């Protein structure tokens, strides 16, 4: 017997409080390329962890209809826009996903101009690899000719969402292209899992790390892509096959606790909860959409229990690995420190929100 609906809702309330309470304590000093201070923890910073966090809050608002959540995210975006947006890159695009979903539901005219401008600049200005993939340029590092898993969640989902909402098919086509190009170079044909990155300089997958959170961006991202936009049938069918192949590889790697390790196939690496939440969300959602069998649902519910066992009293998600650069050896991934983050909160929110749709008539996920 899994968690009941009451416990899941309590967990969601805690997660929201934990996210909005995040503050940078100075532990990590990561200045941006322009010399400004980088803040990847505080809730009020415009960066990729907060972007994923806002998307999680908006998904929760759409599921629950809670006006307080809508007000929270609208106030966040209004304040950030008034303060001025940072330089365009892959990671600073992440908050635009939530804003796009928000605008698609409310049609609030405040958001249309910033969304149009950012989408146009993404297409025009983001660096490109051979074959047209988006280079993983971020606030504190230029990664020339590199493809990373993360880019699909931070950029392609925004283009798909806004393209659908604004009736701009060229943006959906670009999002589709990014998923196809990244699949070509990051999906491991041997296992079905995904590597963290690829470089065209030397043409290799760096440490060939089958990194858990990178795989979670794919499991969750492909399913969210299906939700956010109407894809050309061949693209959707292709990505369904990619997803099924990945999940078949993930299922036997789940640990006895219900979690996955930060290096999926490395028993010496630690169990990591943001990846567990993202994969669990994808498994439950994939089963609900008819893409996966009962094994997907059971593994998703086991992941849910692992996530709920790692929510502290103050709502922060424990055992989340900090933002992870590209590793050139596997030890690099084993050594990434643990730190509560916006994406850890958001992926847990997505997992618990989806789980509410799997509780039975008696309010319990069995």
């Amino acid at each position: 017997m899994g968690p009941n609906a009451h416990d899941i809702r309590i967990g969601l309330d805690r997660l929201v409080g934990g996210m909005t309470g995040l503050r940078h304590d100075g532990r990590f000093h990561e200045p941006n390329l322009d010399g400004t201070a980088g803040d990847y923890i505080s809730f009020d910073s415009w960066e990729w962890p907060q972007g994923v966090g806002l998307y999680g809050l908006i998904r929760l608002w759409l599921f629950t209809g809670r006006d307080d959540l809508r007000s929270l995210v609208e106030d966040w975006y209004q304040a950030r826009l008034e303060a001025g947006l940072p330089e365009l890159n892959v990671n600073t695009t992440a908050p635009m996903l939530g804003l796009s979903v928000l605008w698609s539901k409310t049609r609030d005219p405040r958001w249309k101009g910033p969304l149009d401008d950012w989408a146009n600049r993404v297409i025009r200005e983001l660096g490109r690899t051979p074959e047209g993939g988006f280079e993983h340029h971020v606030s504190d590092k230029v990664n020339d000719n590199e493809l990373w898993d993360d880019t699909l969640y931070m950029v392609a989902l925004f283009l798909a969402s806004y393209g659908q909402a604004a009736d701009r098919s060229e943006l959906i086509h670009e999002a589709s292209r990014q998923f196809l190009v990244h699949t070509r170079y990051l999906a491991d044909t041997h296992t079905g899992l995904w590597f963290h990155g690829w470089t065209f300089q030397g043409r290799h997958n760096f440490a060939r790390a089958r990194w858990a959170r990178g795989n979670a961006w794919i499991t969750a991202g492909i399913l969210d892509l299906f939700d956010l936009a109407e894809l050309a049938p061949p693209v959707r069918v292709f990505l369904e096959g990619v997803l099924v192949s990945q999940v078949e590889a993930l299922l036997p790697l789940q640990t006895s606790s219900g979690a996955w390790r930060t290096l999926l196939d490395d028993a010496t690496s630690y169990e990591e909860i943001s990846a567990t939440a993202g994969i669990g969300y994808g498994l439950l959602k994939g089963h609900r959409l008819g893409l996966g069998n009962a094994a997907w649902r059971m593994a998703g519910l086991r992941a849910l229990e692992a996530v709920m066992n790692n929510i502290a009293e103050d709502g922060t998600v424990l055992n989340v690995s900090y933002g992870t650069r590209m590793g050139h050896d596997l030890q690099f991934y084993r050594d990434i420190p643990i730190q509560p983050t916006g994406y850890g909160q958001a992926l847990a929110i997505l997992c618990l929100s989806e789980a509410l749709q799997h509780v039975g008539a008696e309010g319990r996920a069995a």
Side-chain angles (χ1 to χ4, degrees), residues 4 6 29 34 62 68 84-86 89 95 119 124 156 207 214 217 253 321:
N4 60 44
H6 176 71
H29 176 59
D34 62 5
L62 293 176
D68 62 318
L85 298 186
N89 60 54
R124 186 174 65 244
W217 296 134
L253 297 175
S321 64

Side-chain angles (χ1 to χ4, degrees), residues 42-328:
S42 300
F43 180 64
D44 59 1
S45 176
W46 183 289
E47 256 294 348
W48 72 270
Q50 296 82 359
V52 179
L54 268 291
Y55 175 64
L57 291 176
I58 289 166
R59 284 282 194 181
L60 182 58
W61 163 60
L62 293 176
F63 182 71
T64 62
R66 285 173 47 183
D67 289 337
D68 62 318
L69 292 174
R70 175 175 173 174
S71 296
L72 174 65
V73 298
E74 288 182 331
D75 290 349
W76 190 94
Y77 280 111
Q78 184 65 36
R80 303 286 77 72
L81 290 169
E82 289 176 356
L85 298 186
E87 293 294 317
L88 170 76
N89 60 54
V90 164
N91 283 349
T92 57
T93 299
M96 287 294 174
L97 171 59
L99 189 62
S100 171
V101 175
L102 179 65
W103 178 76
S104 75
K105 302 301 180 183
T106 67
R107 298 291 163 165
D108 189 322
R110 287 180 293 174
W111 317 132
K112 183 67 163 60
L115 286 165
D116 258 338
D117 177 64
W118 201 277
N120 293 338
R121 290 179 60 210
V122 164
I123 299 297
R124 186 174 65 244
E125 298 176 19
L126 274 191
R128 302 270 186 163
T129 70
E131 301 181 37
F134 288 137
E135 293 179 312
H136 195 78
H137 292 177
V138 295
S139 300
D140 61 354
K141 195 172 190 300
V142 174
N143 300 298
D144 284 330
N145 284 311
E146 294 182 17
L147 299 174
W148 293 29
D149 299 328
D150 319 45
T151 304
L152 294 176
Y153 214 88
M154 308 311 156
V155 180
L157 290 186
F158 159 58
L159 294 178
S161 169
Y162 187 59
Q164 186 73 32
D167 195 24
R168 293 184 57 181
S169 60
E170 77 278 10
L171 299 182
I172 300 174
H173 295 161
E174 185 61 62
S176 299
R177 177 192 193 183
Q178 294 305 318
F179 269 86
L180 295 174
V181 172
H182 282 71
T183 300
R184 171 161 153 74
Y185 289 102
L186 297 178
D188 175 15
T189 56
H190 179 67
T191 64
L193 302 173
W194 281 51
F195 296 122
H196 186 183
W198 166 269
T199 177
F200 284 92
Q201 295 174 349
R203 299 182 68 88
H204 58 77
N205 291 108
F206 296 96
R208 297 177 64 82
R210 298 174 185 93
W211 174 52
R213 192 163 59 245
N215 275 264
W217 296 134
I218 302 308
T219 316
I222 290 177
L223 286 157
D224 283 352
L225 179 68
F226 294 163
D227 262 356
L228 293 168
E230 296 175 19
L231 305 177
V235 174
R236 176 161 180 141
V237 170
F238 172 80
L239 290 175
E240 286 177 356
V242 170
L243 176 68
V244 169
S245 178
Q246 187 210 31
V247 170
E248 288 176 351
L250 285 169
L251 292 180
L253 297 175
Q254 190 174 25
T255 69
S256 59
S257 73
W260 280 269
R261 299 184 181 279
T262 198
L263 290 172
L264 291 165
D265 51 357
D266 180 354
T268 69
S269 66
Y270 58 78
E271 295 182 3
E272 205 279 327
I273 298 303
S274 71
T276 298
I279 294 169
Y281 163 67
L283 293 175
L284 292 172
K285 186 172 185 176
H287 179 266
R288 177 169 56 82
L289 297 178
L291 295 174
N293 57 26
W296 290 39
R297 183 174 183 273
M298 293 308 298
L301 292 174
R302 290 178 58 213
L304 167 70
E305 291 199 65
V307 172
M308 293 186 68
N309 287 337
N310 279 275
I311 300 173
E313 284 295 318
D314 66 358
T316 57
V317 181
L318 307 175
N319 292 305
V320 170
S321 64
Y322 190 59
T324 304
R325 300 177 187 276
M326 188 59 57
H328 292 261

Side-chain angles (χ1 to χ4, degrees), residues 27-43:
R27 178 184 176 195
F28 301 99
H29 176 59
E30 297 182 282
N32 296 324
L33 291 172
D34 62 5
T36 58
D39 183 351
Y40 300 90
I41 298 173
S42 300
F43 180 64

Side-chain angles (χ1 to χ4, degrees), residues 3-16 60 63-64 273 276-278 280-282 284 300-301 303-311 315 317 344-359:
N4 60 44
H6 176 71
D7 290 342
I8 293 171
R9 291 183 185 278
I10 290 174
L12 284 166
D13 285 341
R14 286 180 176 169
L15 289 170
V16 172
L60 182 58
F63 182 71
T64 62
I273 298 303
T276 298
Y281 163 67
L284 292 172
L301 292 174
L304 167 70
E305 291 199 65
V307 172
M308 293 186 68
N309 287 337
N310 279 275
I311 300 173
V317 181
Q345 303 296 130
L347 289 168
I349 286 172
L350 291 174
C351 184
L352 269 65
S353 297
E354 177 63 34
L356 279 177
Q357 302 181 67
H358 294 258
V359 296

